[in-house]
Amino acid sequence: MKKKLVVYLAGLLTVLGLGFGQAQFSDVPAGHWAKEAVERIAACGLITGFPDGTFRGNQNLTRYQAALIFQRLLSEIQQGGECVKADGSGMSDEDMTAIRNAVQELAAELAALGVRVSALEDNAASKDDIARLEAAIEELKNMKAEPAGMDEAALADLADRVEAASVAADTALAQAQILAERLDGVEGDVAALKTQVEADADSIRALNELAVLLNQDVLSLQDRVTALEKQLGDVDFGSFADKEDVSAIQEFATALRSDLVRLADRVSALDARVGGLDSRLAAVEGTRPSLTGSISGRYGYNYTTGANYDVRRLYPNVWDDYNWDANDNGQTVDDADFNNGGDNRARIITTFTVSRTPGSTAGFNFQEARIQLRWTQDGAPRLEDALPSTGFTQNVASGIPQVMVASVRGNIDGQSFSVAYNRFNGFRFTNYFMSNADPNYTGGLGRGFKVDFNASKAPFSPTYTVVFGGTGDSNFVVGGNSGGVRDYFGIRSVVDLLGLKAGVSYAEYNVREFSGPNLGRTGFALDLNGKLFGLLGLEAEYVATKPVNVANWDFADSTKVDQASVIKLSTSLGPISIEANARAIDPQFAESGYNANNAGLSIDFQTSRDNKRPYDDNERGFGVKATVGLGFVTLTGQYDRDADFFETAASIRNSLGVDATVPLFAGFSLFGYFYNVTDSGGALATGSDRFDSSYGVKLSHDGKAANALIKGLDLFAEYRQSETAAAGDYDRNDIKAGAKLETKFGPFGITPLVFFNSAGGSATGTALKFGALVKTDTINLGFIEPSLEGSYVQRSSDISGTSRSESYWHAGLSLSNFFFRGGTLAVRYATYEGKGLASATAGVEDQLYSHTTGFLYSDNTGAVDFTLSGLLFTYRYAGIGLDYHTGKLTTGGTDNFSYGFRISYTYSW
C-alpha cells in the first residue's frame, strides 16, 4: 500500500495543471516513467488536464491546484470510490494502516530532506557573494601582466577555475530554491492529508465501538426471546377468550355505547335546564335590591368671651376638619370660626340607599333610591339665625327631622333618568344663566327638584334637565322690604350637532315679598360647545332676560331686555394655536345674589372658589391670542380691547402683550414679557382684566422636572418694571427672588423657604420672608408610633413707608395606635402675630409656606396689631372623632378667649 501511495504522490507532484473532461493526454509520451500514475489519477477524476488535451508535465503546480487534487483524493477515500478499492471490496483497515505508515515515513524523509537543503543553503554562496566573485574575475581579466613575477598561464587557469565554481554555485542555488518551494508545498499537503487520515481513523474507531455495542444488544435480545419462549411454554392458552367471547364482548360494548349516548342526551338536557335556572337565578339576584347606608352624629359647641377671629391662622390646611359653623345644607361657610352666636347643637344625619340591577330595558326600570334625613337639636341660637344677612335658615323647627336628599334613578326603555330632591339644589345651565352650583354660598336658590333624562333613542339624542323649587325666608331682604318667597323653574335641552353640543334653556323666577312689590324675571339662553367638524373649537353663549311683574306676569312693566353674549373661537395648526373672543355682558348680570335685578338668574359666584365665568358683568370687548411653539422657544402674543357695557371713554382699555418662554437645561427656564395697557387717549394705564402694564424677565427652576439640577428645589429670580399710576411710565421696579427646597435627612423631612423683594422707583423698600417646615417619619416603637412636626415662618415688609409683619410657629405630636390599634391622637400648639393688618378675621389667604408671595395670611394694610395662640387636641378611632380647641386672641391690650368641643361618629353599612 505504501508503494501505491508513493506512486500516487509521484504522479501528483508532476501534475502541471487542471482542466476539464480529458482522460488521455497528448503530451505524455509512451514509456514515460510516470505515465501509469498520470493515467490512474486521471481515471479517478483527480485531474482532468487542460482544455487542449495536454498534461503539461513540466509546468509548476500551484498550491490552489494541489489543494483541489487533495480534496478530490480525500473525497474518494471517504466515499470508498472505485479508485480506492483494491479488489472491489473497498479499502480495508490494513490499507488505512499502510497509508498512515507511509505518510509517516514520507514525513520523516521530507524532514531529512529539509535538513539537507538547509545545510546546502547554509554552505551555498549567496547571490551577493557570486556577484562580488564575478566582479573580481572581471577585474582580474582586465589586469595587465606585471613585467616580472606574473605567470599569465597560471592566471588564466585561475580564472577558468573561478568561472567553473561560479557556474556550479549558480546551479546549486537555483536547484535549492526550487527544491525548497516544492518542499513547502509538499509539507502543507502532507500535513492536510495526515489530518484527514487521522479524522477518518477516529470515525472508523467510533464505528467499530458502535458495532460492538450493537452486537451486545443483539445477544441480550436473543437471551430475552429465549426466556420468553420458555415462559410461553408453560401457559395454558385454553384459559384465554376465543372469538366467540370477543364477539359477545363487542355486542355488550355496542349496547353499553347506546345507553351512554341516551344518558349523554339526558345529561345535556339537564345541563340546559340547570343553565336556564342559573340565568334566571342570576337575573333574580341581579335585580334583588341591596340596602346600604350610613349614620353620622355629632354634638359640639363653641363660643368666645369677646372679639371673633379666624382659627385658620392657627391650624392651616385643616380647616375642613375643624369647621364649627355649618349651614343647614351641611356645607361649610368660609367665615370666621368663632363668633358670638356659637354652635351648640346635637345633629344626626342618616342615609339609606336601595340599589338593584335592572333586568330589562323595556318600560320603566328602577335602579337606585336614596334618602338622607337630618335631625338637629339646638342648645343655643344657630349661627344662621345670629347673622340674618346670610338668609338661609328656612324656618325649620329645631328637633324636627328634615329630608336633606331624596332621589330615584333608573331607565325608561333603556334611556337613563334621575329625579332628585335636595335641600341644596345644585345645578348649572350655562356660565351666565341659571346657575346654582356653589354649595358654599348661603344666598342660593335653596331646596328643590332636579330631573335629568337622556333621550338617546330620539333624533339627535337630546338630553333634558328640569329644575324647580323655592324657598320662603323671613330674612330675605330686597329693597329694604324683609320677608318673601323665591320660586324658580327652568328647563334645558342639549343635542349633538356637527360635533358640537347645542343647548337651549328657558327659566323664570319670582320674588313675592311679604310687603312690597312682587317682582320676577324670565329669559332664555342659547349655547354651543365643542369642535366644529373636529377642527374649530367653539364656545358661544347668548342670554336674554326681562324683569316682570309677578302679580299679572305683565311684560309691559319691564324697562328693557338685559343681554349677555360671549363667543370664543380656537384652533390649532401644528405648532400654532389661535384663540379669539368677543363679549358683551349687561351690568344686570352682576354677581349680587338673587333679586329682581339679577339678569342671569344665578347666585353670587364667589369667584375665588367657582371661577366658571370667563368675563365679569358690565363688560364689552374683544381679543385675540396666538401661541407658536418652536421647541426651543414658545412665543405668545395677544391683544384685547375692553370697556364697560356702555363703553364710556373712561372705561376703555387697550391691552397688548407679548411673552416668550425658553426651556434651558437641568430644569431651568427663562420667561420674558412685555405688557402694555393704555386708555382711550393712549396714555399708559395701570392695568386691565387681562394683565397689568409691566415688563421684565424671570428665571425659574422646577424641582419636579425630570432633568432638575436639584430634585425638590423650586426657585425663581425676576426683574420687573411696572406702572402704578405715579409719576412717569413704568415707574416702579422690583427685584424678586424666592426658593423652596423639599428634602429629607434620614427620618427628617425639611422644607426651608425664602422670599425677597426689593422695590425702587415710585415705591421703595424691601420685603423678606423666610422659614422652614420640619416633619419626621412615623417611628415604630412597637406599642406606639409617634411622629413630630414643627415650623417657623416670618415676614416683614416696609415699602413706601407702610410697615407690616407676620410671624407664625407651631409644634405638633401625633401618636398612632394610641390606646387602640388604629387610633390616632394629635396635639398641636400654634401662635400667630400680625402687625399693621386690617383685622383678625378679614383677608385670610393661606400663603404660609409659599416662596413666591411675600405674606403669610394677609397683606391688607391696616392699623390692627394682634396675637393668636391656640391648642388643639384630636382623636380618631373606628369612625369616632373627638376635637377640642382652646385659644386666645389678644388685641388692643385685651385678651379674648375661645373654646370649642365636638364629638362625632360615622358608621356605614
Side-chain angles (χ1 to χ4, degrees):
M1 188 61 201
K2 177 180 178 181
K3 182 178 180 180
K4 185 183 300 185
L5 178 62
V6 172
V7 173
Y8 285 163
L9 296 177
L12 294 175
L13 293 174
T14 57
V15 173
L16 299 177
L18 298 177
F20 300 92
Q22 295 290 336
Q24 302 295 327
F25 306 102
S26 59
D27 59 344
V28 179
H32 192 277
W33 62 272
K35 179 176 177 64
E36 181 181 359
V38 171
E39 291 177 350
R40 177 69 184 275
I41 62 177
C44 291
L46 301 181
I47 62 173
T48 56
F50 289 88
D52 59 357
T54 60
F55 184 72
R56 302 182 188 179
N58 295 324
Q59 184 172 323
N60 290 335
L61 178 70
T62 67
R63 295 179 66 86
Y64 294 105
Q65 294 169 338
L68 181 60
I69 293 173
F70 277 108
Q71 187 271 337
R72 292 173 178 172
L73 176 62
L74 294 176
S75 298
E76 281 289 312
I77 294 174
Q78 291 175 347
Q79 297 174 4
E82 292 295 331
C83 293
V84 296
K85 292 182 179 180
D87 55 359
S89 61
M91 186 174 292
S92 64
D93 292 341
E94 292 79 4
D95 294 336
M96 294 299 297
T97 302
I99 291 175
R100 285 195 296 270
N101 295 335
V103 169
Q104 293 176 357
E105 293 176 5
L106 181 59
E109 293 175 1
L110 291 174
L113 181 60
V115 173
R116 294 172 60 192
V117 170
S118 298
L120 181 60
E121 290 177 343
D122 294 336
N123 297 326
S126 65
K127 290 184 178 181
D128 294 337
D129 296 334
I130 295 172
R132 286 193 298 270
L133 182 60
E134 289 177 346
I137 292 172
E138 291 297 329
E139 183 178 358
L140 290 174
K141 288 180 180 181
N142 295 331
M143 291 178 58
K144 293 182 180 180
E146 294 294 331
M150 179 64 65
D151 188 351
E152 292 186 3
L155 186 61
D157 180 63
L158 178 60
D160 292 339
R161 292 173 63 186
V162 170
E163 184 72 23
S166 176
V167 172
D170 289 341
T171 302
L173 180 61
Q175 291 178 352
Q177 291 176 346
I178 294 173
L179 184 58
E181 293 176 357
R182 294 180 62 189
L183 184 59
D184 290 340
V186 171
E187 286 178 347
D189 297 337
V190 170
L193 180 61
K194 182 178 179 181
T195 302
Q196 184 62 46
V197 170
E198 290 176 351
D200 292 341
D202 293 338
S203 300
I204 292 171
R205 189 180 301 107
L207 290 173
N208 289 335
E209 293 174 356
L210 178 61
V212 172
L213 294 175
L214 291 175
N215 187 44
Q216 292 176 354
D217 291 340
V218 170
L219 294 176
S220 176
L221 183 61
Q222 289 177 350
D223 294 339
R224 292 174 61 189
V225 171
T226 301
L228 182 60
E229 289 177 347
K230 292 176 65 176
Q231 293 177 3
L232 291 176
D234 299 333
V235 174
D236 182 11
F237 289 99
S239 61
F240 290 96
D242 55 14
K243 292 183 178 180
E244 294 180 356
D245 296 331
V246 172
S247 298
I249 292 174
Q250 289 176 344
E251 292 177 359
F252 176 75
T254 300
L256 182 60
R257 187 180 298 110
S258 300
D259 293 340
L260 290 175
V261 170
R262 288 192 296 271
L263 181 60
D265 293 339
R266 295 178 62 185
V267 170
S268 298
L270 183 60
D271 284 343
R273 294 180 61 186
V274 171
L277 292 175
D278 287 341
S279 299
R280 294 172 62 186
L281 180 60
V284 171
E285 290 179 344
T287 57
R288 182 182 60 183
S290 60
L291 177 64
T292 59
S294 64
I295 183 171
S296 63
R298 81 169 195 183
Y299 173 79
Y301 66 85
N302 76 77
Y303 62 92
T304 64
T305 61
N308 304 325
Y309 66 93
D310 197 316
V311 75
R312 286 175 303 169
R313 283 187 169 95
L314 296 177
Y315 316 126
N317 303 321
V318 291
W319 159 247
D320 290 337
D321 287 340
Y322 313 118
N323 170 39
W324 307 98
D325 302 329
N327 290 321
D328 283 344
N329 59 13
Q331 304 297 328
T332 62
V333 179
D334 189 11
D335 202 347
D337 282 343
F338 293 99
N339 294 275
N340 290 327
D343 180 10
N344 186 4
R345 66 176 66 186
R347 171 175 292 175
I348 296 176
I349 299 177
T350 183
T351 303
F352 301 92
T353 302
V354 178
S355 303
R356 63 184 289 272
T357 301
S360 172
T361 58
F364 176 86
N365 294 278
F366 159 78
Q367 184 173 351
E368 181 186 271
R370 181 170 178 260
I371 186 171
Q372 184 182 85
L373 303 175
R374 186 183 69 182
W375 174 85
T376 302
Q377 179 65 54
D378 288 347
R382 288 176 296 175
L383 172 65
E384 294 89 328
D385 297 326
L387 301 176
S389 61
T390 58
F392 202 77
T393 63
Q394 303 188 33
N395 292 328
V396 177
S398 174
I400 300 177
Q402 306 165 39
V403 177
M404 299 297 296
V405 176
S407 64
V408 176
R409 64 185 180 94
N411 70 76
I412 300 176
D413 197 19
Q415 303 168 108
S416 62
F417 79 93
S418 65
V419 179
Y421 166 82
N422 201 311
R423 292 278 292 181
F424 179 83
N425 194 17
F427 55 84
R428 179 191 300 278
F429 280 9
T430 72
N431 289 335
Y432 294 90
F433 185 66
M434 206 56 181
S435 177
N436 194 42
D438 189 348
N440 289 304
Y441 181 62
T442 61
L445 287 173
R447 57 195 171 195
F449 288 86
K450 181 172 180 282
V451 181
D452 291 292
F453 179 61
N454 181 12
S456 58
K457 296 185 178 181
F460 302 104
S461 301
T463 61
Y464 297 96
T465 299
V466 178
V467 296
F468 58 92
T471 179
D473 194 344
S474 61
N475 295 316
F476 181 62
V477 179
V478 176
N481 300 305
S482 64
V485 176
R486 293 172 290 176
D487 299 323
Y488 61 91
F489 167 80
I491 182 171
R492 172 175 170 79
S493 178
V494 179
V495 299
D496 291 322
L497 186 65
L498 301 176
L500 298 175
K501 294 289 187 180
V504 57
S505 306
Y506 171 82
E508 60 186 41
Y509 80 91
N510 64 78
V511 178
R512 299 189 299 275
E513 297 185 46
F514 296 154
S515 61
N518 293 321
L519 303 176
R521 223 172 238 281
T522 183
F524 73 95
L526 302 174
D527 61 278
L528 293 170
N529 280 279
K531 279 195 173 183
L532 186 63
F533 302 113
L535 300 174
L536 179 64
L538 176 61
E539 181 179 342
E541 178 178 350
Y542 173 77
V543 180
T545 65
K546 296 179 67 174
V548 297
N549 188 322
V550 177
N552 54 17
W553 212 248
D554 185 4
F555 285 95
D557 290 344
S558 63
T559 58
K560 67 182 183 67
V561 175
D562 300 307
Q563 303 178 70
S565 59
V566 175
I567 182 170
K568 296 174 66 177
L569 302 173
S570 63
T571 187
S572 296
L573 303 172
I576 302 175
S577 61
I578 301 174
E579 301 177 10
N581 72 81
R583 67 269 184 188
I585 306 165
D586 193 282
Q588 296 298 99
F589 285 83
E591 303 170 54
S592 58
Y594 270 87
N595 55 54
N597 296 323
N598 193 313
L601 285 74
S602 300
I603 64 169
D604 186 337
F605 271 78
Q606 306 258 336
T607 55
S608 62
R609 298 197 205 102
D610 192 1
N611 192 18
K612 292 293 185 181
R613 299 179 67 169
Y615 308 102
D616 293 334
D617 59 276
N618 193 23
E619 182 175 349
R620 185 186 297 273
F622 63 89
V624 63
K625 179 179 179 181
T627 301
V628 180
L630 301 177
F632 63 92
V633 62
T634 299
L635 301 173
T636 300
Q638 52 186 311
Y639 171 78
D640 189 90
R641 185 184 188 279
D642 183 68
D644 60 27
F645 186 76
F646 299 103
E647 292 199 356
T648 60
S651 67
I652 296 176
R653 292 290 185 271
N654 292 291
S655 305
L656 176 65
V658 292
D659 57 63
T661 301
V662 181
L664 301 176
F665 56 91
F668 285 94
S669 63
L670 189 64
F671 178 70
Y673 57 93
F674 176 80
Y675 303 134
N676 182 273
V677 183
T678 57
D679 58 21
S680 59
L684 192 66
T686 56
S688 67
D689 291 337
R690 309 287 83 79
F691 39 67
D692 296 327
S693 292
S694 60
Y695 64 87
V697 61
K698 182 177 181 181
L699 177 68
S700 302
H701 177 265
D702 183 5
K704 297 180 179 61
N707 62 336
L709 179 65
I710 301 177
K711 293 294 185 181
L713 174 62
D714 295 328
L715 62 83
F716 80 97
E718 179 180 8
Y719 173 79
R720 177 185 178 91
Q721 199 83 25
S722 58
E723 171 68 14
T724 66
D729 292 343
Y730 298 104
D731 53 281
R732 173 173 173 169
N733 61 77
D734 290 270
I735 298 176
K736 300 180 180 181
K740 180 169 69 173
L741 176 63
E742 296 183 8
T743 186
K744 288 199 68 176
F745 295 95
F748 296 94
I750 304 177
T751 305
L753 62 97
V754 63
F755 171 86
F756 175 77
N757 180 29
S758 175
S762 63
T764 59
T766 60
L768 176 64
K769 172 183 174 182
F770 63 90
L773 171 66
V774 180
K775 293 183 177 181
T776 69
D777 295 336
T778 300
I779 303 172
N780 190 350
L781 300 180
F783 65 96
I784 200 169
E785 298 178 358
S787 62
L788 300 171
E789 71 172 57
S791 70
Y792 176 80
V793 186
Q794 177 180 319
R795 76 100 166 185
S796 61
S797 68
D798 185 4
I799 297 178
S800 298
T802 302
S803 298
R804 284 160 289 183
S805 67
E806 296 174 279
S807 64
Y808 171 87
W809 72 268
H810 93 280
L813 170 66
S814 178
L815 299 174
S816 298
N817 297 324
F818 182 80
F819 200 70
F820 295 103
R821 179 155 298 276
T824 301
L825 173 68
V827 182
R828 184 187 186 108
Y829 178 79
T831 65
Y832 171 87
E833 182 179 9
K835 294 182 179 180
L837 303 181
S839 71
T841 58
V844 175
E845 181 182 345
D846 185 5
Q847 298 291 337
L848 181 62
Y849 301 118
S850 171
H851 70 290
T852 60
T853 56
F855 62 92
L856 307 188
Y857 287 113
S858 176
D859 205 27
N860 295 329
T861 303
V864 178
D865 298 343
F866 60 92
T867 302
L868 293 176
S869 62
L871 182 64
L872 176 67
F873 294 87
T874 65
Y875 185 75
R876 299 287 184 269
Y877 172 70
I880 299 174
L882 299 173
D883 302 89
Y884 177 78
H885 159 82
T886 178
K888 181 176 71 172
L889 165 65
T890 301
T891 180
T894 303
D895 293 338
N896 304 275
F897 296 95
S898 64
Y899 304 90
F901 169 77
R902 182 172 63 190
I903 180 172
S904 62
Y905 176 72
T906 300
Y907 174 74
S908 299
W909 67 85

